[in-house]
Amino acid sequence: MSAEPRYIHHVNFPTTDPDRTAAWYAKVFGMKRITPKSNTRVVLMTRGNFDLHFTPVEEMERMAPYHFAVEVDDWDDFLAHLKELGIRHTRPVQRPENQSKFCYIHDPDHTMIELVYHAKRPN
């Protein structure tokens, strides 16, 4: 038994339109919507290696500058994917000290998402 946590299971965000949110995260990150076995209204999305939950709300409170970050395997391919989808991103920034890159996008409810790429990721 260990007193240390293993990993973050999921993060929950508000959404003003559950179906639009589910479709967006499926399209952008390849996530799959899970049908809950309980009577919850929460939208459950998974990629297998991480989950996101979305609680329906009437009005969205502005979340910025709060955000979450997603590591991508291929920077150029993912930015091309965003371009095909018509999703704008901030100007990419490169950090020469660790050969990483990052930029930001927003989901339909304006939740900020940082996209991160590390050329030399530790195994």
Side-chain angles (χ1 to χ4, degrees), residues 3-95:
E4 296 178 6
R6 292 182 66 199
Y7 54 84
I8 293 174
H9 181 269
H10 71 271
V11 180
N12 189 310
F13 295 98
T15 178
T16 58
D17 186 331
D19 292 331
R20 178 188 65 187
T21 295
W24 192 88
Y25 279 87
K27 178 176 61 174
V28 176
F29 294 115
M31 298 187 83
K32 179 181 163 191
R33 190 172 186 172
I34 299 169
T35 304
K37 293 185 169 102
S38 65
N39 62 353
T40 183
R41 293 179 52 226
V42 174
V43 175
L44 310 175
M45 301 291 295
T46 190
R47 242 193 85 73
N49 57 345
F50 71 89
D51 294 353
L52 295 175
H53 295 181
F54 299 90
T55 300
V57 297
E58 292 297 318
E59 288 186 42
M60 177 63 82
E61 291 185 29
R62 185 161 163 75
M63 290 189 58
Y66 304 107
H67 70 278
F68 67 95
V70 174
E71 180 84 25
V72 299
D73 287 327
D74 187 313
W75 183 255
D76 295 329
D77 278 356
F78 200 83
L79 291 188
H81 170 65
L82 293 177
K83 185 174 183 177
E84 285 177 17
L85 297 174
I87 296 172
R88 295 174 38 190
H89 58 78
T90 61
R91 184 177 50 82
V93 175
Q94 186 162 355
R95 292 184 178 126

